[in-house]
Amino acid sequence: MATPEQYQDIRDAVTKLCAQFPGEYWQGLEKEGDYPTDFVRALTESGYLSILIPEEYGGAGLPLSVACAVLEEIQRSGCNAGACHAQMYTMGTLLRHGSEQQKLQYLPAIARGELRLQAFGVTEPGSGTDTTRIKTRARRDGPDGDYIVSGQKVFISRTEHSDLMILLVRTAEREDVARPTEGMSVLLVDMRTALGNGLTIRPIKTMMNHASTELFFDELRVPAANLIGEEGRGFSYIMDGMNAERILIAAECIGDARFFIEHASLYASEREVFGRPIGLNQGVQFPIARAHIQTEAADAIVKRAAGKFERGEPCGSDANMAKLLASEASWQAGDTCIQTFGGYGFATEYNIERKFRETRLYQVAPISTNLILSHVATHDLGLPKSF
Ligand SMILES: Cc1cc2nc3c(=O)[nH]c(=O)nc-3n(C[C@H](O)[C@H](O)[C@H](O)COP(=O)(O)OP(=O)(O)OC[C@H]3O[C@@H](n4cnc5c(N)ncnc54)[C@H](O)[C@@H]3O)c2cc1C
């Protein structure tokens, strides 16, 4: 199996593409609250967003490590993959649990860039981290057994820039099933027909430009043919996509951390105060070195997790640990970078404060640090489960 370092040609190509989207591009988008349409189009046309789609469905069929390398380089270049990373892992739900007909209908079109599968609707205001308490309900109706969806989702990213959405709903009440994880189902919602016909989207402003939205479902009709897998098994389908998601997000964090470390190192070497580069002071250089060491350690676990995933070995704990370590490493590196830049770290034109805000997300979403600690405590260490 190839090591991630062997993807240097892909890394170089991604870096070259990202150079067309410098800091001013992202600053401009943020000012207007716009989506990086041109950036996402460039990634799509270059085939990067479909690298995990198997060749028989029109993708490149490459392993997870390559996707990690792509996301890492995007972040390292100062760009933000948050605008489009979901397509890499949301399509996994369709790939693993969709029918052959669904896969043939959607995956090649996604690979060609004709369809965007960027939206993934799980979180609800009343459920938060406890997904088993989602209330968005789908009931069957009519001779074809269409689903009629009512409810609400919150913090769902990119819904205004996606043609399709993977949506988790309850098809049986929590009280009526043997276990709370049962009775949920995954529907593939066509956003193009849903909008205005039972689906309303309300943008949510956040501290970074992330295209976050709130969704309101009022008797939205979804064809029965859009059920993915078996009714009632949706929770397990969503869960088994989580490892890939965590590893990919961890790779993004590694890229963020490298962005901060590289910028801090360069700035510390060039900025002169008291007649000499600030980087000559160990009080400035040691935190940068520490951030680098933490990033290398986190990266080793990200690669270990990706390797296990690719070999089909259990990797839940490694994926979780990778995400925790990498998100903390990127935050630490960001904090160090701001400190190194002094006042300039806060100035928009340097892009440090933007990346600092962007990388903070990953300690909360797609899963918060506490929930990872809980997973490791109970699964790996045998400690009692607190919920
Ligand atoms: C910018 C952004 C984009 C997002 N995109 C999406 C998306 O595309 N799709 C989607 O479905 N969701 C998305 N989310 C939602 C995200 O996954 C959730 O915010 C996250 O899972 C946490 O849920 P919550 O916000 O309801 O926090 P809560 O569940 O209310 O938790 C709040 C805090 O309490 C802690 N906590 C809760 N329970 C426990 C416990 N038992 N033990 C210890 N600590 C606990 C949590 O760790 C957290 O720190 C996004 C969120 C943001 C901010």
Side-chain angles (χ1 to χ4, degrees), residues 120-123 128-129 154-158 208 210 212 361 364-366 368 370-371 387:
F120 185 58
V122 175
T123 306
T129 306
V154 72
F155 289 123
I156 311 306
S157 309
R158 304 165 295 270
M208 63 281 172
H210 197 84
S212 302
L361 173 65
V364 172
S368 66
N370 274 0
L371 270 289
F387 54 88

Side-chain angles (χ1 to χ4, degrees), residues 256-266 288 291-292 295 333 337:
D256 277 345
R258 298 204 193 289
F259 168 91
F260 290 127
I261 293 162
E262 284 164 13
H263 278 75
S265 302
L266 190 64
I288 304 173
H292 174 65
T295 301
C337 191

